[in-house]
Amino acid sequence: MADAERDLGTKLDWVAVDHFNTGHPHSHVIVRGVDERGKDLVIARDYLTHGLRERAAALVNLDLGPRTDLEIARSQQAEITQARFTGIVRRLFRSADALGHVRAIHRDGVEQSLRAGRLQTLARLQLAREVSKGTWALDPELEPALRRMGERGDIIRTMNRAMRERLPQRALSDYAIYEPGEGKAAPIIGRVVARGLSDEFYDRHYLIVDGVDGISRYIDIGSSNEPIPDGGIVRIEPRVAAARDVDRTVAEVAAANGGRHSIDGDLSHDAQATEAFAQKHVRRLEAIRRTTGGVEREPDGTWIVAPDHLARGEAYERAVARNNPVAIETLSTQPSERLSGHDGVTWLDRELSAA
């Protein structure tokens, strides 16, 4: 940060914290957006994307020494077979012609061999095909496909690390990634093995659940901050993205009042409705407005509700499902091994009664 101050020509007001909550220890730095004169701090985009990285690399070199040619060569060779988006692929993209075709030929012999090897790997992954001798067409979905593969590889490594510590008897063949599949996946029940942070920037979390069917699953639970006991028994099911009964009631009230919804309109529409019931509708409308802008609020507190409100309610649910793709129900706060001797009704008793 002292280097950054010299580069930017101003003192910086900043704070940093070291994190060890993922598989890769790292640090976060927050910089106040004003310079030492109290004016807006303006930092060039290139400095943010490249300059800081170069400064950090230079400091690492001072401590550890520069990477040797052999280390660099080994790192590049390793990229050839990796099922993830790599620097070689990025360079292939930059060299593509107007038709999106690439060639391995390069004036640097090492680079040429790296490209040729990587194209062969992409062909085996069915993400590239040779259209003529030495000319390759890359799959239009190459980058997202490779990034998904890389994510899956990271997930398997995360699971392996957690399971090795908690359930070493589980084999890789017992691992799976839970795919909600737009609400079509079957619910699962199991014991919470681990919880972690998968994406700090977007505050996304994951669970590893050892299912009663003998399969251990990695589950993306999105931004859910619901307290989940370690070792507890949970039920996981996809969050269904569909309009709710509250949306149907709002649409009925609006249709009866010229496309507008209000608390008074709610109460007059249903003689048995209460103020709390009407406020529930208002909270739902406010949530939709903040998330998707699907409704408008007038200064007097009334709401303009479109004729396709049910479709807008469904769009809101889809947006919620992207952030929280699954619904989590805690069946037992205690691990299953403690339930057999517990004095009182437990989840096991309910399961035995249902059977």
Side-chain angles (χ1 to χ4, degrees):
M1 292 307 293
D3 285 343
E5 288 179 336
R6 285 192 290 271
D7 292 339
L8 299 174
T10 180
K11 285 288 186 181
L12 298 174
D13 188 6
W14 60 275
V15 64
V17 62
D18 296 332
H19 273 187
F20 301 89
N21 57 347
T22 70
H24 307 281
H26 56 281
S27 301
H28 294 269
V29 180
I30 299 175
V31 181
R32 187 166 177 245
V34 297
D35 61 21
E36 61 188 358
R37 294 176 294 277
K39 296 183 178 180
D40 289 343
L41 178 65
V42 179
I43 305 177
R45 184 187 300 271
D46 284 348
Y47 188 78
L48 287 172
T49 55
H50 301 293
L52 286 172
R53 181 186 296 272
E54 291 171 2
R55 283 298 190 193
L59 290 172
V60 171
N61 286 342
L62 285 175
D63 284 341
L64 304 180
R67 296 172 73 197
T68 66
D69 291 342
L70 181 59
E71 288 173 329
I72 294 172
R74 284 175 177 170
S75 175
Q76 292 178 332
Q77 285 290 330
E79 287 188 14
I80 291 177
T81 56
Q82 288 177 354
R84 61 173 62 247
F85 192 75
T86 64
I88 301 174
V89 177
R90 188 176 287 108
R91 295 195 296 275
L92 284 171
F93 270 133
R94 286 201 295 264
S95 67
D97 61 20
L99 297 176
H101 293 165
V102 299
R103 295 174 64 83
I105 295 175
H106 195 274
R107 63 178 178 272
D108 184 323
V110 174
E111 177 66 15
Q112 180 170 317
S113 67
L114 292 173
R115 292 186 178 206
R118 187 60 173 157
L119 285 167
Q120 293 293 335
T121 297
L122 295 177
R124 287 194 294 272
L125 295 172
Q126 298 184 337
L127 294 173
R129 60 187 177 87
E130 195 170 18
V131 294
S132 62
K133 187 65 175 177
T135 301
W136 297 77
L138 301 179
D139 189 292
E141 296 297 313
L142 173 65
E143 182 173 351
L146 285 175
R147 292 196 184 279
R148 284 194 298 271
M149 290 179 185
E151 289 169 2
R152 293 182 74 88
D154 292 340
I155 287 171
I156 294 301
R157 279 190 291 275
T158 298
M159 288 190 69
N160 196 27
R161 185 170 56 249
M163 299 300 287
R164 196 166 55 241
E165 296 173 357
R166 308 289 183 88
L167 292 172
Q169 68 272 24
R170 287 282 187 262
L172 278 173
S173 57
D174 298 325
Y175 295 177
I177 299 174
Y178 189 65
E179 306 280 2
E182 297 183 354
K184 298 177 182 177
I188 61 171
I189 294 175
R191 178 162 66 100
V192 176
V193 174
R195 176 175 183 161
L197 198 61
S198 58
D199 189 327
E200 285 189 306
F201 189 77
Y202 293 102
D203 193 30
R204 294 191 74 88
H205 300 250
Y206 68 85
L207 287 181
I208 296 177
V209 174
D210 189 40
V212 294
D213 57 358
I215 303 297
S216 300
R217 294 175 177 84
Y218 177 100
I219 305 166
D220 175 16
I221 62 173
S223 57
S224 172
N225 56 8
E226 181 179 342
I228 302 170
D230 190 21
I233 309 299
V234 296
R235 184 178 190 273
I236 307 285
E237 62 181 343
R239 188 178 294 277
V240 179
R244 297 186 179 181
D245 290 341
V246 63
D247 300 316
R248 296 182 180 88
T249 303
V250 167
E252 290 174 5
V253 172
N257 291 275
R260 292 176 180 271
H261 179 279
S262 65
I263 291 180
D264 291 341
D266 231 334
L267 298 176
S268 61
H269 180 74
D270 183 354
Q272 296 182 338
T274 64
E275 182 82 14
F277 181 74
Q279 287 291 350
K280 179 181 177 182
H281 295 167
V282 171
R283 289 194 296 273
R284 174 71 172 182
L285 288 166
E286 180 62 24
I288 293 175
R289 184 186 73 84
R290 288 176 177 271
T291 304
T292 65
V295 291
E296 295 181 34
R297 184 178 59 192
E298 296 281 82
D300 63 357
T302 61
W303 296 83
I304 301 175
V305 179
D308 63 343
H309 182 68
L310 293 183
R312 299 187 182 205
E314 183 176 336
Y316 166 75
E317 289 296 326
R318 283 198 299 272
V320 171
R322 282 193 294 271
N323 290 329
N324 297 283
V326 296
I328 306 169
E329 179 186 1
T330 299
L331 302 177
S332 171
T333 58
Q334 298 186 49
S336 55
E337 58 267 19
R338 295 184 187 173
L339 300 182
S340 57
H342 181 72
D343 293 332
V345 177
T346 68
W347 167 71
L348 281 179
D349 299 314
R350 291 192 293 271
E351 287 294 296
L352 290 170
S353 298

